[in-house]
Each structure stands twice: as C-alpha cells, then as structure tokens.
C-alpha cells in the first residue's frame, strides 16, 4: 500500500504543488491547513483535508489517530518578512509553537520522518556566494530567525526521540503547475514575479523596483528562482533518503543561477509580450544584495535533478496560471 503523507500547509502556494506531485507519484495524502493564508480551492480533491491549526495538539492528535501517517511535510508557516519585523511574536507563535506541537503529536504517534520548509532567510546577508549548505546562518529578520529556531529544534528532537528530519532551504520559489490549474495567490502579494505579471495584466500601472544601488552588476538585487515542481520533487527525494535509513540533514535548493530584478522584468516582457512599465523606488529594507544557492549537495546526496533551468520557462508557467486566473483562486 502507498505511504500516507501529511502535508501541513497543503492549501498554500508551495503546499498545493507538493500535494499534486505526491498524488502524481502514487502517494496517499492528508492535508492539514487552517486556511489562514491558504485557499480552500487550492485543496486537492484527491487528498483528505482536515481544517485546523498545527498549534492545536488535540486537533493534530485526532488526525494522527484517524490516519495511518508515515511522514510529515511541514510547510505551514507565516512567511512575510516585513510583517515579521513589525510583529515578531506572531511569527514565533505560529511558526515555532506550531512545530513544537507537531513534534509532540508525531512523538506520541511514533511518526519518524519530517521534511521541513526552511529558507534562504536563515542565512541573512551571506558573505560568500553561491551559498553552501554549511554557510553560517545569521538571520536578519524574525521570519528567518523563527525558521532557524525550527531547524535547531529538529536537531535536538532527533537526538532525544529519534525523529529524523531534512530541512530544505528554498531560495525564491517561483512558477506554477504547467496546466495553470494551481498557482501563486498570496494576499497581500509581496513576491516579484506575481507582481510583475499583475503589472503585465494592467492590474497596476507600474512595477516598483526596490533599489538600484546594490552591489550587483546592474545595481538591482540578484536572486535565485527555483520552480516549485522541482522543489516538490526534492521533498519526495528527501523523504526516500530518510526512509532508506540516512541521517537528518539540511540542503539548499535553488537553480544556482542568479537573476537581477531588471533581468527578471526583461524576461517577463519577452514571455508576456507586454510592456510592463517599471520604475526605480527606494530600497525595501532587509534585502541582501545577492542570494544564490549552491545546491550541489542536494544533487549529489539526494539525487535532485531540477527540470526547470530556464527562467523564461519558469515565468511562462506563472503567466499561464495568471492568465487563467487573473483574480487567483477567486476565479476558480
Ligand atoms: P503560503 O502562505 O501560501 O502557505 C502556507 C500555508 O500554511 C497556508 O495554506 C496557510 O493557511 C497554512 N498555515 C499557516 N499557519 C498555519 C497553522 N498554524 N496551522 C495550519 N496551517 C497553517 O506560503 P508558501 O509560499 O506556500 O510557503 C510555504 C512554506 O515554504 C512556508 O513554510 C515558507 O516559510 C516556506 N518558504 C517559502 C518560500 C517562497 O518563496 N514562497 C521560500 C522559502 C521558504
Ligand atoms: N522586488 C521588487 N519589487 C517588487 C517586489 C520585489 O523590486 O514589487 C524585489 C525585491 O526587492 C527582491 C526581489 O524582487 O530584491 C525578490 O523579492 P521577493 O519578495 O519575490 O523575494 P525575496 O527575495 O524577498 O524572498
């Protein structure tokens, strides 16, 4: 029988693609989500959905009692950096306490494997690029700090209870399922590519490029955009890696190619064939110059082979979703 995997946060952007990919590969899937930032319409009808909060131990225990879960993919979190700076306790409460409760329920039900959505934000302002898995983790905002605390919790929980885990530190998640049936719909939207595509659709007049005086070739921030289906694939490989008896570990996931904000705008103009007006605006605050992943260990140890190595293809998948669902899940 197929393994049953719990995806906590499975109604969110990355979670909904994770659920899709697990089902494609024959897994049985249970979704836990409180719909705080996720969407009921993003819930895959082939999965069993439990609406509730990961901070609620009674709720989690009920799910683990009803379902025969072999592993947990832990994607639920708050993840808006400026909000975390204004309201850090909201982030420590949701992200860190949520993980404490999840581990308590897993321990009580003898569930041995967890794959965790970590982030490049745990590195802060890295001194070296590309960023290796072993680079110093010095977060510069409460969101990154909460995720680093969660990574550290994983180490001690493994030592005490033998729950094995892999932290996957995504750089910039981007794109959508190719058929445009699910995609990115955050409210408020803060991510570059969906905001560019909103501008392409004429929903806003001008894209604001936050800062052109960074220490990069064209002065705008350089980021590493990785397709979410490639991310989802890495989770399945990480799960197999743990189930094969390997030790807990952490890996950086990116495409290993950096693009400046201006390069992303230029690529989006080519994909959409729209003018996409853009203007320079002051720095947003808290943005490191350059964030590019060194994903060589994920490739070597997990056997990860990202499929999307062309930024135009990645943007095209996001554009297909946007054209089919201009108002996101409201249009579904
Ligand atoms: P998202 O907001 O779309 O998804 C998060 C999901 O978790 C939502 O469906 C939300 O309703 C749910 N959720 C939040 N708190 C919950 C709780 N306490 N109980 C139950 N459900 C809860 O975000 P996303 O962009 O899909 O990100 C998914 C994960 O990946 C997050 O952990 C985020 O920190 C991490 N991450 C994202 C990126 C990115 O570029 N989007 C990069 C690095 C890491
Ligand atoms: N950005 C921008 N205008 C926007 C949104 C984002 O110039 O409207 C820039 C942002 O400053 C950063 C890059 O685009 O340099 C990627 O931002 P995003 O929020 O997508 O991801 P982050 O790198 O912050 O995780």
């Amino acid at each position: 029988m197929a393994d049953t995997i719990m995806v906590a946060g499975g109604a969110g952007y990355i979670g909904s693609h994770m659920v899709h990919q697990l089902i494609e590969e024959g897994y049985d899937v249970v979704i836990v989500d409180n719909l705080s930032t996720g969407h009921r319409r993003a819930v895959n009808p082939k999965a069993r959905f439990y609406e509730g909060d990961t901070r609620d131990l009674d709720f989690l225990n009920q799910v683990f009692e009803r379902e025969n879960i072999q592993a947990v993919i832990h994607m639920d979190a708050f993840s808006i950096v400026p909000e975390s700076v204004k309201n850090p306790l909201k982030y420590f409460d949701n992200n860190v306490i949520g993980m404490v409760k999840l581990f308590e329920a897993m321990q009580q039900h003898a569930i041995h494997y967890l794959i965790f959505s970590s982030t490049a934000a745990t590195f802060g302002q890295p001194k070296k690029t590309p960023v290796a898995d072993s680079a110093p983790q010095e977060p510069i905002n409460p969101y990154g700090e909460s995720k680093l605390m969660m990574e550290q919790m994983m180490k001690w929980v493994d030592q005490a209870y033998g729950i094995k885990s892999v932290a996957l530190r995504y750089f910039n998640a981007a794109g959508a399922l190719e058929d445009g049936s699910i995609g990115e719909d955050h409210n408020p939207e803060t991510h570059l590519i969906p905001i560019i595509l909103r501008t392409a659709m004429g929903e806003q007049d001008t894209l604001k490029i936050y800062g052109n005086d960074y220490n990069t070739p064209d002065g705008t921030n350089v980021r590493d955009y990785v397709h979410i289906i490639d991310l989802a694939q890495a989770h399945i490989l990480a799960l197999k890696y743990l189930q094969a008896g390997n030790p807990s570990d952490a890996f950086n996931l990116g495409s290993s190619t950096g693009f400046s904000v201006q390069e992303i705008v230029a690529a989006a103009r080519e994909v959409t064939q729209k003018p996409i007006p853009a203007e320079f605006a002051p720095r947003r605050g808290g943005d490191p110059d350059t964030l590019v992943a060194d994903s060589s260990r994920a490739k070597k140890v997990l056997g990860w082979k990202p499929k999307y190595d062309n930024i135009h293809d990645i943007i095209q998948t996001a554009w297909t979703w946007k054209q089919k669902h201009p108002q996101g899940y409201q249009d579904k």
Side-chain angles (χ1 to χ4, degrees):
M1 233 178 70
D3 279 354
T4 302
I5 311 298
M6 174 193 281
V7 182
Y13 167 46
I14 304 175
S16 55
H17 293 80
M18 184 71 244
V19 171
H20 167 87
Q21 200 58 32
L22 285 165
I23 290 170
E24 277 290 291
E25 300 201 14
Y27 288 93
D28 180 49
V29 180
V30 167
I31 296 173
V32 162
D33 201 298
N34 65 1
L35 301 179
S36 53
T37 59
H39 304 272
R40 194 174 295 282
R41 288 176 176 163
V43 170
N44 193 307
K46 292 184 183 153
R48 292 183 296 291
F49 176 45
Y50 293 87
E51 187 176 342
D53 198 301
T54 45
R55 288 164 297 183
D56 179 347
L57 186 59
D58 291 338
F59 161 71
L60 285 180
N61 279 333
Q62 280 168 27
V63 178
F64 283 119
E65 267 145 43
R66 269 189 64 177
E67 300 283 352
N68 181 23
I69 290 164
Q70 274 82 45
V72 175
I73 297 182
H74 180 27
M75 299 191 144
D76 67 291
F78 290 149
S79 57
I80 301 176
V81 169
E83 186 189 48
S84 79
V85 175
K86 279 205 194 100
N87 197 352
L89 294 179
K90 177 175 173 182
Y91 277 68
F92 294 121
D93 175 40
N94 195 50
N95 298 359
V96 181
I97 306 290
M99 192 178 224
V100 171
K101 298 297 163 195
L102 191 54
F103 271 139
E104 280 176 14
M106 287 177 69
Q107 190 215 350
Q108 284 172 30
H109 293 85
I111 294 159
H112 301 298
Y113 306 115
L114 179 121
I115 313 296
F116 171 58
S117 298
S118 191
T119 166
T122 59
F123 292 108
Q125 296 264 13
K127 290 186 185 60
K128 273 212 300 220
T129 191
V131 185
D133 298 348
S134 57
Q137 288 176 288
E138 293 163 0
I140 54 169
N141 55 60
Y143 164 61
E145 190 78 67
S146 74
K147 290 274 169 165
L148 180 56
M149 288 165 81
M150 294 158 90
E151 280 198 26
Q152 287 166 341
M153 200 189 311
M154 289 158 66
K155 182 181 76 182
W156 298 110
V157 163
D158 179 1
Q159 193 169 305
Y161 316 121
I163 298 177
K164 301 288 167 202
S165 57
V166 168
L168 296 175
R169 305 182 190 123
Y170 323 151
F171 280 57
N172 289 60
L177 200 61
E178 274 180 18
D179 68 5
S181 59
I182 50 175
E184 186 163 12
D185 180 8
H186 290 120
N187 187 17
E189 189 54 78
T190 59
H191 291 123
L192 179 65
I193 292 174
I195 292 178
I196 287 178
L197 299 182
R198 185 181 287 179
T199 317
M201 293 287 273
E203 290 168 27
Q204 67 178 53
D205 296 337
T206 312
L207 168 80
K208 285 192 171 16
I209 297 178
Y210 297 130
N212 62 341
D213 56 352
Y214 285 98
N215 184 21
T216 60
D218 70 15
T220 64
N221 283 151
V222 170
R223 293 288 178 273
D224 180 342
Y225 297 85
V226 52
H227 196 269
I228 33 173
I229 292 298
D230 285 331
L231 289 181
Q233 207 63 58
H235 290 70
I236 295 175
L237 291 167
L239 182 62
K240 290 182 175 160
Y241 162 89
L242 289 182
Q243 288 177 324
N246 291 298
S248 298
D249 210 332
F251 301 94
N252 294 352
L253 297 182
S255 68
S256 306
T257 310
F259 292 97
S260 72
V261 176
Q262 284 186 292
E263 286 171 328
I264 295 293
V265 177
R269 286 184 181 130
E270 283 167 23
V271 169
T272 62
Q273 296 292 304
K274 305 277 184 193
I276 315 183
E279 63 187 21
F280 294 123
R283 289 182 176 206
R284 193 169 61 168
D287 279 333
D289 297 323
T290 300
L291 278 176
V292 178
D294 172 355
S295 302
S296 53
R297 273 191 75 250
K299 289 178 182 157
K300 196 166 152 231
V301 178
L302 300 178
W304 187 48
K305 293 192 190 76
K307 222 175 71 179
Y308 291 87
D309 59 0
N310 178 318
I311 193 66
H312 290 80
D313 294 345
I314 294 178
I315 296 172
Q316 178 60 58
T317 62
W319 182 230
T320 303
W321 154 254
K322 181 66 183 165
Q323 284 175 299
K324 286 195 173 174
H325 307 280
Q327 300 306 315
Y329 285 102
Q330 278 179 42
D331 288 340
K332 253 196 113 172

